[in-house]
Amino acid sequence: MTLGAIRHDWVLAEVRNLLTMPFNDLIFQAQTVHRQHFDANQVQVSTLLSIKTGACPEDCKYCPQSGHYDTGLDKEKLLEVQKVLEEAKAAKEIGSTRFCMGAAWKHPTVKDMPYVLEMVKGVKALGLETCMTLGRLNQEQAMQLADAGLDYYNHNLDTSPDFYTNIITTRTYSERLQTLSYVREAGMKICSGGILGMGESLDDRANLLIQLANLPEHPESVPINNLVKVKGTPLENAEDVEPFDFIRMLAVARIMMPKSHVRLSAGREQMNEQMQSLAFLAGANSIFYGDRLLTTANPQAEKDRALFKKLGIKPEQRQDHADEVHQAAIEQAVLEQRQSSMFYDATKA
């Protein structure tokens, strides 16, 4: 056995021990780490919009947008820039500080990139942080997105390297890692996490966290998703994750990546207030606001605000420019877009 293999086995054992230690002790450790690096009474709030829905060529077994499965999801073309900006403005009005845009692509095309870049510029002009998930990127695309002002790029590892081929065969694990490398080299922040409930083992969950924690820099945002089972996908009958095991995953992610925002992501619609409260106690400090999360339901913003009030939690604020500066930037961006070919009716394309 090589030295690297010995070290990995030791690390795996340590992470496995964290995932199985007495629950109260784990939560205490996670809270301690959380309070060392964050205000425990603040949660970062994002909104996610699907800018291109359905017919994705990837075969991710959890995804209703995959063209490989019949889930009843209508195929839609890329949204027009103005529609995206309207949605971003609405997100800001309900308290979001980051606007995330997701497209069901294997990778962005040369044809679509100009529209994507205009979306980034327009959302940025609204004073929001920007995030996108567009599939695999090459080095040039990563640089273009960074130059347009993209703050975050989401590209989840989904699961462990060993379990990965049970879930996806149309994109390799190394390709995912390469995209993350291009994103970091371009100067953008990384949003990367995984999904629980796909039939993975305890060691798979531990190895996912090890992969994320051993990136050259920890992801600034680590979404932990609870599988949303959609009829028509191969995982529609997957066994539910035990709620306390899900909370454990959040807590260990907090301990292993202390300065990252740990996001309570997909699957919140299935969680009651008590489970979500435990998630925040375990160190989760980021959520998505809004009625939908790409193509699946998400707790309404009003419910989130009510829970925040009960727990004494407030949305995390970000440093911002004066309103008049933003207004001038918005007006300039709109003027430039009207004078360009960036506006088009996506439903007729």
Side-chain angles (χ1 to χ4, degrees), residues 119-208:
M119 291 175 191
V120 173
K121 294 174 184 176
V123 173
K124 190 82 170 177
L126 288 169
L128 289 163
E129 288 183 318
T130 53
C131 179
M132 280 194 158
T133 178
L134 310 171
R136 189 182 71 229
L137 296 179
N138 60 36
Q139 192 169 29
E140 181 182 1
Q141 289 168 332
M143 291 301 300
Q144 288 175 328
L145 289 167
D147 290 344
L150 189 65
D151 296 300
Y152 287 80
Y153 193 77
N154 167 260
H155 202 57
N156 290 330
L157 295 182
D158 286 345
T159 188
S160 72
D162 290 339
F163 191 67
Y164 182 81
T165 53
N166 292 294
I167 304 301
I168 305 159
T169 65
T170 51
R171 182 191 301 167
T172 67
Y173 211 82
S174 61
E175 286 177 323
R176 288 185 181 268
L177 292 172
Q178 182 63 73
T179 290
L180 292 179
S181 178
Y182 287 147
V183 168
R184 188 63 84 187
E185 288 171 6
M188 290 180 286
K189 297 174 183 176
I190 286 175
C191 175
S192 188
I195 306 171
L196 273 65
M198 300 189 294
E200 73 283 347
S201 67
L202 179 68
D203 280 0
D204 289 319
R205 293 176 186 177
N207 273 318
L208 168 64

Coordinates of all heavy atoms in Angstrom, one line a residue, residues 119-208:
M119 N -26.3 38.5 -19.4 CA -27.1 38.2 -18.2 C -26.3 38.5 -17.0 O -26.7 39.2 -16.0 CB -27.6 36.8 -18.2 CG -28.6 36.4 -19.2 SD -29.0 34.6 -19.1 CE -30.0 34.5 -20.6
V120 N -25.0 38.1 -17.0 CA -24.1 38.3 -15.8 C -23.9 39.8 -15.6 O -24.1 40.4 -14.5 CB -22.7 37.7 -16.1 CG1 -21.8 38.1 -15.0 CG2 -22.9 36.2 -16.1
K121 N -23.7 40.6 -16.7 CA -23.5 42.0 -16.6 C -24.7 42.7 -16.1 O -24.6 43.6 -15.2 CB -23.1 42.6 -17.9 CG -21.7 42.1 -18.4 CD -21.4 42.6 -19.9 CE -20.1 42.0 -20.4 NZ -19.9 42.4 -21.8
G122 N -25.9 42.3 -16.6 CA -27.1 43.0 -16.2 C -27.5 42.7 -14.7 O -27.9 43.6 -14.0
V123 N -27.3 41.5 -14.3 CA -27.6 41.1 -12.9 C -26.6 41.8 -11.9 O -27.0 42.3 -10.9 CB -27.6 39.6 -12.7 CG1 -27.7 39.2 -11.2 CG2 -28.7 38.9 -13.5
K124 N -25.3 41.9 -12.4 CA -24.3 42.6 -11.6 C -24.7 44.0 -11.4 O -24.5 44.6 -10.3 CB -23.0 42.4 -12.3 CG -21.8 42.8 -11.5 CD -21.3 41.8 -10.5 CE -20.0 42.1 -9.9 NZ -19.6 41.1 -8.9
A125 N -25.2 44.6 -12.4 CA -25.6 46.1 -12.4 C -26.7 46.3 -11.4 O -26.8 47.4 -10.9 CB -26.0 46.6 -13.8
L126 N -27.5 45.3 -11.1 CA -28.5 45.4 -10.1 C -28.0 45.4 -8.6 O -28.8 45.7 -7.7 CB -29.5 44.3 -10.2 CG -30.4 44.3 -11.5 CD1 -31.2 43.0 -11.6 CD2 -31.4 45.5 -11.4
G127 N -26.7 45.2 -8.5 CA -26.1 45.2 -7.1 C -26.2 43.8 -6.5 O -26.0 43.7 -5.3
L128 N -26.5 42.8 -7.2 CA -26.5 41.4 -6.7 C -25.2 40.7 -7.0 O -24.6 40.9 -8.0 CB -27.7 40.6 -7.4 CG -29.1 41.0 -7.0 CD1 -30.1 40.5 -8.0 CD2 -29.4 40.5 -5.6
E129 N -24.9 39.7 -6.1 CA -23.8 38.8 -6.5 C -24.3 37.9 -7.6 O -25.5 37.6 -7.6 CB -23.4 38.0 -5.3 CG -22.6 38.7 -4.2 CD -22.2 37.8 -3.1 OE1 -23.0 37.0 -2.6 OE2 -21.0 38.0 -2.7
T130 N -23.5 37.4 -8.5 CA -23.9 36.6 -9.6 C -23.3 35.2 -9.5 O -22.2 35.0 -9.1 CB -23.4 37.2 -10.9 OG1 -22.0 37.5 -10.8 CG2 -24.2 38.5 -11.2
C131 N -24.1 34.2 -9.9 CA -23.7 32.8 -9.9 C -24.3 32.2 -11.1 O -25.4 32.5 -11.4 CB -24.1 32.1 -8.6 SG -23.7 30.4 -8.5
M132 N -23.6 31.2 -11.7 CA -24.1 30.5 -12.8 C -23.7 29.0 -12.7 O -22.7 28.7 -12.1 CB -23.6 31.0 -14.1 CG -24.4 32.3 -14.6 SD -24.1 32.7 -16.3 CE -25.5 33.6 -16.7
T133 N -24.5 28.2 -13.3 CA -24.2 26.7 -13.4 C -24.6 26.4 -14.9 O -25.8 26.4 -15.2 CB -24.9 25.8 -12.4 OG1 -24.5 24.5 -12.6 CG2 -26.4 26.0 -12.3
L134 N -23.6 26.1 -15.7 CA -23.8 25.9 -17.1 C -23.2 24.6 -17.6 O -23.2 24.4 -18.8 CB -23.2 27.1 -17.9 CG -23.5 28.5 -17.5 CD1 -22.7 29.5 -18.2 CD2 -25.0 28.8 -17.7
G135 N -22.8 23.8 -16.7 CA -22.1 22.6 -17.2 C -20.6 22.7 -17.3 O -20.0 23.6 -16.6
R136 N -20.0 21.9 -18.1 CA -18.5 21.9 -18.2 C -18.1 23.2 -18.9 O -18.7 23.7 -19.9 CB -18.1 20.7 -19.0 CG -16.6 20.5 -19.1 CD -16.2 19.3 -19.9 NE -16.4 19.6 -21.4 CZ -17.1 18.8 -22.2 NH1 -17.6 17.7 -21.7 NH2 -17.2 19.1 -23.5
L137 N -17.0 23.8 -18.4 CA -16.4 25.0 -19.0 C -15.0 24.7 -19.6 O -14.3 23.9 -19.0 CB -16.3 26.1 -18.0 CG -17.5 26.7 -17.4 CD1 -17.2 27.8 -16.4 CD2 -18.5 27.3 -18.5
N138 N -14.6 25.3 -20.7 CA -13.2 25.3 -21.0 C -12.6 26.5 -20.5 O -13.2 27.4 -19.9 CB -13.1 25.2 -22.6 CG -13.7 26.4 -23.3 OD1 -13.7 27.5 -22.8 ND2 -14.3 26.1 -24.5
Q139 N -11.3 26.6 -20.6 CA -10.5 27.7 -20.0 C -11.0 29.1 -20.5 O -11.1 30.1 -19.8 CB -9.1 27.5 -20.2 CG -8.2 28.4 -19.4 CD -6.7 28.0 -19.4 OE1 -6.3 27.5 -20.4 NE2 -6.0 28.3 -18.4
E140 N -11.2 29.2 -21.8 CA -11.6 30.5 -22.4 C -13.0 30.9 -21.9 O -13.2 32.1 -21.6 CB -11.7 30.3 -24.0 CG -12.1 31.6 -24.7 CD -12.2 31.5 -26.2 OE1 -12.0 30.4 -26.7 OE2 -12.5 32.5 -26.8
Q141 N -13.9 30.0 -21.8 CA -15.3 30.3 -21.3 C -15.2 30.8 -19.8 O -15.9 31.7 -19.4 CB -16.2 29.1 -21.4 CG -16.6 28.8 -22.8 CD -17.3 27.5 -22.9 OE1 -17.1 26.5 -22.2 NE2 -18.2 27.3 -23.9
A142 N -14.4 30.2 -19.0 CA -14.2 30.6 -17.6 C -13.7 32.0 -17.6 O -14.2 32.8 -16.8 CB -13.3 29.6 -16.9
M143 N -12.7 32.3 -18.4 CA -12.2 33.7 -18.4 C -13.2 34.7 -18.9 O -13.3 35.8 -18.4 CB -10.9 33.7 -19.4 CG -9.7 33.0 -18.8 SD -9.2 33.6 -17.2 CE -8.8 35.3 -17.6
Q144 N -14.0 34.3 -19.9 CA -15.1 35.2 -20.4 C -16.1 35.5 -19.3 O -16.5 36.7 -19.1 CB -15.8 34.6 -21.6 CG -15.0 34.6 -22.9 CD -15.7 33.8 -24.0 OE1 -16.4 32.9 -23.7 NE2 -15.4 34.3 -25.2
L145 N -16.5 34.5 -18.5 CA -17.4 34.7 -17.4 C -16.8 35.6 -16.4 O -17.5 36.5 -15.8 CB -17.9 33.4 -16.9 CG -18.8 32.5 -17.8 CD1 -18.9 31.1 -17.3 CD2 -20.2 33.1 -17.9
A146 N -15.6 35.4 -16.0 CA -14.9 36.2 -15.0 C -14.8 37.6 -15.5 O -15.1 38.6 -14.7 CB -13.5 35.6 -14.7
D147 N -14.5 37.9 -16.7 CA -14.4 39.2 -17.3 C -15.7 39.9 -17.3 O -15.8 41.2 -17.1 CB -13.8 39.2 -18.7 CG -12.3 38.8 -18.7 OD1 -11.7 38.9 -17.6 OD2 -11.8 38.4 -19.8
A148 N -16.8 39.2 -17.4 CA -18.2 39.8 -17.4 C -18.6 40.1 -16.0 O -19.6 40.8 -15.8 CB -19.2 38.8 -18.0
G149 N -17.9 39.6 -15.0 CA -18.2 39.9 -13.6 C -18.8 38.8 -12.8 O -19.4 39.1 -11.7
L150 N -18.8 37.6 -13.3 CA -19.4 36.5 -12.6 C -18.7 36.3 -11.3 O -17.4 36.1 -11.3 CB -19.4 35.2 -13.4 CG -20.2 34.1 -12.8 CD1 -21.7 34.4 -12.7 CD2 -20.0 32.8 -13.6
D151 N -19.4 36.2 -10.2 CA -18.8 36.0 -8.8 C -18.5 34.6 -8.5 O -17.5 34.2 -8.0 CB -19.7 36.7 -7.8 CG -19.8 38.2 -7.9 OD1 -18.8 38.8 -7.9 OD2 -20.9 38.6 -8.1
Y152 N -19.6 33.7 -8.7 CA -19.5 32.3 -8.4 C -19.9 31.4 -9.6 O -20.7 31.8 -10.4 CB -20.6 32.0 -7.3 CG -20.3 32.5 -5.9 CD1 -20.5 33.9 -5.6 CD2 -19.7 31.7 -4.9 CE1 -20.2 34.4 -4.3 CE2 -19.5 32.2 -3.6 CZ -19.7 33.5 -3.3 OH -19.4 34.0 -2.1
Y153 N -19.2 30.3 -9.6 CA -19.6 29.3 -10.6 C -20.0 28.0 -9.8 O -19.2 27.5 -9.0 CB -18.5 29.0 -11.6 CG -19.1 28.2 -12.8 CD1 -19.9 28.8 -13.8 CD2 -18.9 26.8 -12.9 CE1 -20.4 28.1 -14.8 CE2 -19.5 26.1 -13.9 CZ -20.2 26.7 -14.9 OH -20.7 26.0 -15.9
N154 N -21.2 27.5 -10.0 CA -21.6 26.2 -9.4 C -21.3 25.0 -10.3 O -21.7 25.0 -11.4 CB -23.1 26.3 -9.1 CG -23.6 24.9 -8.6 OD1 -24.2 24.2 -9.5 ND2 -23.4 24.5 -7.4
H155 N -20.6 24.1 -9.7 CA -20.3 22.8 -10.4 C -20.2 21.7 -9.4 O -19.1 21.6 -8.8 CB -19.1 23.0 -11.3 CG -19.0 22.0 -12.4 ND1 -20.0 21.9 -13.4 CD2 -18.1 21.1 -12.8 CE1 -19.6 21.0 -14.3 NE2 -18.5 20.4 -13.9
N156 N -21.2 21.0 -9.1 CA -21.2 20.1 -8.0 C -20.4 18.8 -8.4 O -20.5 18.3 -9.5 CB -22.6 19.6 -7.6 CG -23.4 20.8 -6.9 OD1 -22.8 21.6 -6.2 ND2 -24.7 20.8 -7.1
L157 N -19.8 18.2 -7.4 CA -19.1 16.9 -7.6 C -20.1 15.8 -7.4 O -19.9 14.7 -7.9 CB -18.0 16.7 -6.5 CG -16.8 17.7 -6.7 CD1 -15.7 17.4 -5.6 CD2 -16.2 17.6 -8.1
D158 N -21.2 16.1 -6.8 CA -22.4 15.2 -6.6 C -22.2 14.1 -5.6 O -23.0 13.9 -4.7 CB -22.8 14.6 -8.0 CG -23.5 15.6 -8.8 OD1 -24.0 16.6 -8.3 OD2 -23.7 15.3 -10.1
T159 N -21.1 13.3 -5.7 CA -20.9 12.2 -4.8 C -19.4 11.8 -4.8 O -18.6 12.6 -5.3 CB -21.7 11.0 -5.3 OG1 -21.7 9.9 -4.3 CG2 -21.4 10.4 -6.6
S160 N -19.1 10.7 -4.3 CA -17.6 10.3 -4.3 C -17.2 9.8 -5.6 O -18.0 9.4 -6.5 CB -17.5 9.1 -3.3 OG -18.0 7.9 -3.8
P161 N -15.8 9.8 -5.8 CA -15.3 9.3 -7.1 C -15.7 7.8 -7.4 O -16.0 7.5 -8.5 CB -13.8 9.4 -7.0 CG -13.6 10.5 -5.9 CD -14.8 10.4 -5.0
D162 N -15.7 7.0 -6.3 CA -16.0 5.6 -6.5 C -17.5 5.3 -6.9 O -17.8 4.4 -7.7 CB -15.7 4.8 -5.2 CG -14.2 4.7 -5.0 OD1 -13.5 4.9 -5.9 OD2 -13.9 4.5 -3.8
F163 N -18.4 6.1 -6.4 CA -19.9 5.9 -6.6 C -20.3 6.7 -7.8 O -21.4 6.4 -8.4 CB -20.7 6.4 -5.4 CG -22.1 6.0 -5.4 CD1 -22.5 4.6 -5.3 CD2 -23.1 6.9 -5.5 CE1 -23.8 4.2 -5.4 CE2 -24.4 6.5 -5.5 CZ -24.8 5.2 -5.5
Y164 N -19.5 7.6 -8.3 CA -19.9 8.5 -9.4 C -20.5 7.9 -10.6 O -21.5 8.3 -11.2 CB -18.7 9.4 -9.7 CG -19.0 10.5 -10.8 CD1 -19.6 11.7 -10.4 CD2 -18.7 10.3 -12.1 CE1 -19.9 12.7 -11.4 CE2 -18.9 11.2 -13.1 CZ -19.5 12.4 -12.7 OH -19.8 13.4 -13.6
T165 N -19.8 6.8 -11.1 CA -20.3 6.2 -12.4 C -21.6 5.4 -12.2 O -22.2 5.0 -13.2 CB -19.3 5.2 -12.9 OG1 -18.9 4.3 -11.9 CG2 -18.0 6.0 -13.4
N166 N -22.1 5.2 -11.0 CA -23.4 4.7 -10.8 C -24.5 5.7 -11.0 O -25.7 5.4 -11.2 CB -23.6 4.2 -9.3 CG -22.7 3.0 -9.0 OD1 -22.9 1.9 -9.6 ND2 -21.7 3.2 -8.2
I167 N -24.1 7.0 -11.1 CA -25.1 8.1 -11.2 C -24.9 8.8 -12.5 O -25.9 9.2 -13.1 CB -24.8 9.1 -10.1 CG1 -24.9 8.4 -8.7 CG2 -25.8 10.3 -10.1 CD1 -26.3 7.8 -8.4
I168 N -23.7 8.9 -13.1 CA -23.5 9.7 -14.3 C -22.5 8.9 -15.1 O -21.4 8.5 -14.6 CB -23.0 11.1 -14.0 CG1 -23.9 11.8 -13.1 CG2 -22.8 11.9 -15.3 CD1 -23.3 13.0 -12.3
T169 N -22.7 8.8 -16.4 CA -21.8 8.2 -17.3 C -21.4 9.1 -18.5 O -20.4 8.8 -19.2 CB -22.3 6.9 -17.9 OG1 -23.4 7.2 -18.8 CG2 -22.7 5.9 -16.8
T170 N -22.0 10.2 -18.6 CA -21.8 11.1 -19.8 C -20.8 12.2 -19.5 O -20.4 13.0 -20.3 CB -23.1 11.8 -20.2 OG1 -23.7 12.4 -19.1 CG2 -24.0 10.7 -20.9
R171 N -20.3 12.3 -18.2 CA -19.2 13.2 -17.9 C -18.4 12.6 -16.8 O -19.0 12.0 -15.8 CB -19.9 14.6 -17.4 CG -18.8 15.6 -17.0 CD -19.5 16.8 -16.3 NE -20.5 17.4 -17.1 CZ -21.4 18.3 -16.6 NH1 -21.4 18.6 -15.3 NH2 -22.3 18.8 -17.4
T172 N -17.1 12.7 -16.8 CA -16.2 12.1 -15.9 C -16.0 13.0 -14.6 O -16.2 14.2 -14.7 CB -14.9 11.7 -16.5 OG1 -14.2 12.9 -16.8 CG2 -15.1 10.9 -17.7
Y173 N -15.6 12.3 -13.6 CA -15.2 13.1 -12.4 C -14.1 14.0 -12.6 O -14.1 15.2 -12.1 CB -14.9 12.1 -11.3 CG -15.2 12.5 -9.9 CD1 -16.5 12.4 -9.4 CD2 -14.2 13.1 -9.0 CE1 -16.8 12.8 -8.1 CE2 -14.5 13.5 -7.7 CZ -15.8 13.3 -7.3 OH -16.1 13.7 -6.0
S174 N -13.1 13.6 -13.4 CA -12.0 14.4 -13.7 C -12.3 15.6 -14.5 O -11.8 16.7 -14.3 CB -10.9 13.6 -14.4 OG -11.4 13.1 -15.7
E175 N -13.4 15.5 -15.4 CA -13.9 16.7 -16.1 C -14.5 17.7 -15.1 O -14.3 18.9 -15.3 CB -14.9 16.2 -17.1 CG -14.3 15.6 -18.4 CD -15.3 15.1 -19.3 OE1 -16.4 14.6 -18.9 OE2 -15.1 15.2 -20.5
R176 N -15.2 17.2 -14.1 CA -15.7 18.1 -13.1 C -14.6 18.9 -12.4 O -14.7 20.1 -12.2 CB -16.6 17.4 -12.2 CG -18.0 16.9 -12.8 CD -18.8 16.3 -11.7 NE -20.1 15.8 -12.3 CZ -21.2 16.5 -12.4 NH1 -21.2 17.7 -11.9 NH2 -22.3 16.0 -12.9
L177 N -13.6 18.1 -12.0 CA -12.5 18.8 -11.3 C -11.8 19.8 -12.2 O -11.3 20.8 -11.7 CB -11.5 17.7 -10.8 CG -12.1 16.8 -9.7 CD1 -11.1 15.7 -9.4 CD2 -12.4 17.6 -8.4
Q178 N -11.7 19.5 -13.5 CA -11.0 20.4 -14.4 C -11.8 21.7 -14.5 O -11.2 22.7 -14.6 CB -10.8 19.7 -15.8 CG -10.1 20.5 -16.8 CD -8.7 20.8 -16.4 OE1 -7.8 20.0 -16.5 NE2 -8.4 22.1 -16.0
T179 N -13.1 21.6 -14.6 CA -13.9 22.8 -14.7 C -13.7 23.7 -13.5 O -13.5 24.9 -13.6 CB -15.4 22.4 -14.9 OG1 -15.6 21.9 -16.2 CG2 -16.3 23.7 -14.7
L180 N -13.7 23.0 -12.3 CA -13.4 23.8 -11.1 C -12.1 24.5 -11.1 O -11.9 25.6 -10.6 CB -13.6 22.9 -9.8 CG -15.0 22.3 -9.6 CD1 -15.0 21.4 -8.3 CD2 -16.0 23.4 -9.3
S181 N -11.1 23.8 -11.7 CA -9.8 24.3 -11.8 C -9.8 25.6 -12.7 O -9.1 26.6 -12.3 CB -8.8 23.3 -12.3 OG -7.5 23.8 -12.4
Y182 N -10.4 25.5 -13.8 CA -10.5 26.6 -14.7 C -11.2 27.8 -14.0 O -10.8 29.0 -14.2 CB -11.3 26.3 -16.0 CG -10.5 25.4 -16.9 CD1 -11.2 24.4 -17.7 CD2 -9.2 25.5 -17.1 CE1 -10.5 23.6 -18.6 CE2 -8.5 24.6 -17.9 CZ -9.2 23.7 -18.7 OH -8.5 22.9 -19.6
V183 N -12.3 27.5 -13.3 CA -13.0 28.6 -12.6 C -12.1 29.3 -11.6 O -12.1 30.5 -11.5 CB -14.3 28.0 -11.8 CG1 -14.9 29.0 -10.9 CG2 -15.3 27.5 -12.9
R184 N -11.4 28.5 -10.8 CA -10.5 29.1 -9.8 C -9.4 29.9 -10.4 O -9.0 31.0 -10.0 CB -9.9 28.0 -8.9 CG -9.1 28.5 -7.7 CD -10.0 29.3 -6.8 NE -10.8 28.5 -5.9 CZ -11.7 29.0 -5.0 NH1 -12.0 30.3 -5.0 NH2 -12.3 28.2 -4.2
E185 N -8.8 29.4 -11.5 CA -7.7 30.1 -12.2 C -8.2 31.4 -12.8 O -7.4 32.4 -12.9 CB -7.2 29.2 -13.4 CG -6.4 28.0 -12.9 CD -6.0 27.1 -14.0 OE1 -6.3 27.4 -15.2 OE2 -5.5 26.0 -13.8
A186 N -9.5 31.5 -13.2 CA -10.0 32.7 -13.8 C -10.4 33.7 -12.7 O -10.7 34.9 -13.0 CB -11.3 32.4 -14.5
G187 N -10.3 33.4 -11.4 CA -10.5 34.3 -10.3 C -11.9 34.3 -9.8 O -12.2 35.2 -8.9
M188 N -12.7 33.4 -10.2 CA -14.1 33.3 -9.6 C -14.1 32.4 -8.4 O -13.2 31.6 -8.1 CB -15.0 32.7 -10.7 CG -15.3 33.7 -11.9 SD -16.4 33.0 -13.1 CE -15.4 31.7 -13.9
K189 N -15.2 32.6 -7.6 CA -15.4 31.8 -6.4 C -16.1 30.5 -6.9 O -16.9 30.5 -7.9 CB -16.2 32.5 -5.4 CG -15.5 33.8 -4.9 CD -16.3 34.6 -4.0 CE -15.6 35.9 -3.5 NZ -16.5 36.7 -2.7
I190 N -16.0 29.5 -6.1 CA -16.5 28.1 -6.4 C -17.7 27.8 -5.5 O -17.6 28.0 -4.3 CB -15.4 27.1 -6.3 CG1 -14.5 27.2 -7.5 CG2 -16.0 25.7 -6.2 CD1 -13.3 26.2 -7.4
C191 N -18.7 27.3 -6.1 CA -19.9 26.7 -5.4 C -19.9 25.2 -5.8 O -20.2 24.9 -7.0 CB -21.2 27.4 -5.8 SG -22.7 26.7 -5.0
S192 N -19.6 24.3 -4.9 CA -19.6 22.9 -5.2 C -19.9 22.1 -4.0 O -19.4 22.3 -2.9 CB -18.2 22.5 -5.7 OG -18.2 21.2 -6.2
G193 N -20.8 21.1 -4.2 CA -21.2 20.2 -3.1 C -21.7 18.9 -3.7 O -21.1 18.4 -4.6
G194 N -22.7 18.3 -3.1 CA -23.2 17.0 -3.5 C -24.6 16.7 -3.1 O -25.3 17.6 -2.5
I195 N -25.0 15.5 -3.4 CA -26.4 15.1 -3.1 C -26.4 13.8 -2.3 O -25.7 12.9 -2.5 CB -27.1 14.8 -4.5 CG1 -27.0 15.9 -5.5 CG2 -28.6 14.4 -4.3 CD1 -27.5 15.6 -6.9
L196 N -27.3 13.8 -1.3 CA -27.5 12.6 -0.5 C -28.8 11.9 -0.9 O -29.8 12.6 -1.3 CB -27.6 13.0 1.0 CG -26.3 13.1 1.8 CD1 -25.4 14.3 1.2 CD2 -26.6 13.4 3.3
G197 N -28.8 10.6 -0.7 CA -30.0 9.9 -1.0 C -30.1 9.2 -2.3 O -31.1 8.7 -2.8
M198 N -28.9 9.0 -3.0 CA -28.8 8.3 -4.3 C -28.4 6.9 -4.2 O -28.1 6.2 -5.2 CB -27.9 9.1 -5.2 CG -28.3 10.5 -5.4 SD -27.3 11.4 -6.7 CE -25.6 11.4 -5.9
G199 N -28.4 6.4 -2.9 CA -27.9 5.0 -2.7 C -26.5 4.9 -2.3 O -25.9 3.8 -2.2
E200 N -25.8 6.0 -2.0 CA -24.4 6.0 -1.6 C -24.2 5.5 -0.2 O -25.1 5.5 0.6 CB -23.9 7.4 -1.7 CG -24.3 8.4 -0.6 CD -25.8 8.9 -0.8 OE1 -26.3 8.7 -1.9 OE2 -26.3 9.5 0.2
S201 N -23.0 5.0 0.1 CA -22.7 4.5 1.4 C -22.2 5.6 2.3 O -21.9 6.7 1.8 CB -21.6 3.4 1.2 OG -20.4 4.0 0.8
L202 N -21.9 5.3 3.5 CA -21.3 6.2 4.5 C -20.0 6.6 4.0 O -19.6 7.8 4.0 CB -21.2 5.6 5.9 CG -20.6 6.5 6.9 CD1 -21.5 7.7 7.3 CD2 -20.3 5.7 8.2
D203 N -19.2 5.7 3.5 CA -17.9 6.0 2.9 C -17.9 6.9 1.7 O -17.1 7.8 1.5 CB -17.1 4.7 2.6 CG -16.5 4.0 3.8 OD1 -16.7 4.5 4.9 OD2 -15.8 3.0 3.6
D204 N -19.0 6.8 0.9 CA -19.1 7.7 -0.2 C -19.4 9.1 0.2 O -18.8 10.1 -0.3 CB -20.3 7.2 -1.1 CG -20.0 5.9 -1.9 OD1 -18.9 5.8 -2.4 OD2 -20.9 5.1 -2.0
R205 N -20.2 9.2 1.3 CA -20.5 10.6 1.8 C -19.2 11.2 2.4 O -18.9 12.4 2.2 CB -21.6 10.5 2.9 CG -22.9 10.1 2.3 CD -24.0 9.9 3.4 NE -25.2 9.4 2.8 CZ -26.3 9.1 3.5 NH1 -26.3 9.2 4.8 NH2 -27.4 8.7 2.8
A206 N -18.4 10.4 3.1 CA -17.2 10.8 3.7 C -16.2 11.2 2.5 O -15.5 12.3 2.6 CB -16.6 9.8 4.5
N207 N -16.1 10.4 1.5 CA -15.2 10.7 0.4 C -15.6 11.9 -0.4 O -14.7 12.6 -0.9 CB -15.0 9.5 -0.5 CG -14.0 8.5 0.0 OD1 -12.9 8.9 0.4 ND2 -14.3 7.2 -0.1
L208 N -16.9 12.2 -0.5 CA -17.3 13.5 -1.1 C -16.8 14.6 -0.4 O -16.2 15.6 -0.9 CB -18.8 13.5 -1.2 CG -19.4 14.9 -1.6 CD1 -19.0 15.3 -3.0 CD2 -21.0 14.9 -1.4

